Amino acid sequence: MTDNLDELKKQWQELSQLTRNLEETNRRLSERMARSKVSSTQERLADTIWRWSFIGLVLPVLAPLLHETADLPWWYCALYALFGVVFAAIWWNFANFIRSERLTDMPVAAAIERALIIKLRQQKIRATAWICGIILIGTGGFLIPAGDRMPALIGGGIGLAAGLAIALPRVLANERMARSMVEDLMN
């Protein structure tokens, strides 16, 4: 009977140790999966912003066309081109900022703080780009000769609707990615 009791105690201890090992393995696996998700989201956000930064480089190509087709002054076309180059550089720099430190290699509190900084900076850059873009396009609307304003307004409205239809889903997706990084780090 004592042998059975000793055998039972030994099996119970082995089972307890096995359970602790499984719990530790599960915890490590969960951490690894969470880190992988955060790292993947961070890379996807940086890649998306980096690719979209090149759209700004299209504006210098379009600037001479604005002078030729809409008869806009050269100073405005240069400002239009400069807007594209500046914001392409800002977004490209922001993508590099996102990539500069891996959130998964940082302590949790520092990673959460960095993810919040990324999210806030993304919102500030986007708001500044929208405000500057609206001012630039509005100024261009007033510079178009009076006889050409109605076709230009119709074309501008169609272009705005098409641009929003293309960009808005991407903007919302980027916002979700930034929010997801913060939420995944907090959990």
Side-chain angles (χ1 to χ4, degrees):
M1 176 105 176
T2 324
D3 291 337
N4 284 343
L5 190 56
D6 289 339
E7 179 83 21
L8 200 57
K9 280 182 183 178
K10 184 179 175 187
Q11 287 177 351
W12 183 260
Q13 288 172 346
E14 288 174 3
L15 188 60
S16 293
Q17 183 61 37
L18 199 61
T19 303
R20 281 193 297 274
N21 290 347
L22 265 174
E23 287 172 354
E24 179 64 23
T25 303
N26 277 343
R27 187 187 61 75
R28 274 192 249 134
L29 185 59
S30 293
E31 285 178 7
R32 195 172 340 138
M33 287 173 61
R35 284 183 179 165
S36 175
K37 184 176 181 186
V38 168
S39 180
S40 172
T41 303
Q42 182 182 6
E43 278 303 309
R44 273 195 343 254
L45 180 62
D47 287 346
T48 301
I49 289 172
W50 186 80
R51 280 192 309 271
W52 277 72
S53 69
F54 287 103
I55 291 173
L57 299 179
V58 172
L59 298 184
V61 174
L62 296 176
L65 297 173
L66 289 175
H67 178 70
E68 296 301 319
T69 59
D71 201 29
L72 291 171
W74 277 111
W75 66 265
Y76 176 80
C77 297
L79 190 62
Y80 184 82
L82 183 64
F83 171 80
V85 170
V86 166
F87 274 97
I90 289 171
W91 282 113
W92 184 78
N93 186 33
F94 180 55
N96 288 336
F97 172 76
I98 293 170
R99 281 192 184 104
S100 66
E101 290 185 56
R102 291 177 51 92
L103 296 175
T104 55
D105 295 341
M106 303 171 82
V108 175
I112 290 171
E113 182 181 349
R114 176 112 174 145
L116 287 169
I117 289 169
I118 288 170
K119 184 176 180 238
L120 184 62
R121 191 174 286 187
Q122 178 186 15
Q123 292 169 342
K124 285 181 179 179
I125 293 171
R126 185 175 50 243
T128 304
W130 277 86
I131 291 168
C132 291
I134 289 169
I135 291 170
L136 185 67
I137 291 171
T139 303
F142 285 108
L143 293 173
I144 293 175
D148 294 336
R149 281 205 181 123
M150 188 49 74
L153 285 175
I154 292 170
I158 292 170
L160 177 64
L164 285 174
I166 293 168
L168 203 53
R170 190 70 257 161
V171 166
L172 294 174
N174 286 350
E175 183 66 28
R176 277 192 305 272
M177 279 190 270
R179 190 174 43 248
S180 173
M181 269 190 331
V182 173
E183 290 170 356
D184 288 343
L185 287 167
M186 288 183 162
N187 293 332

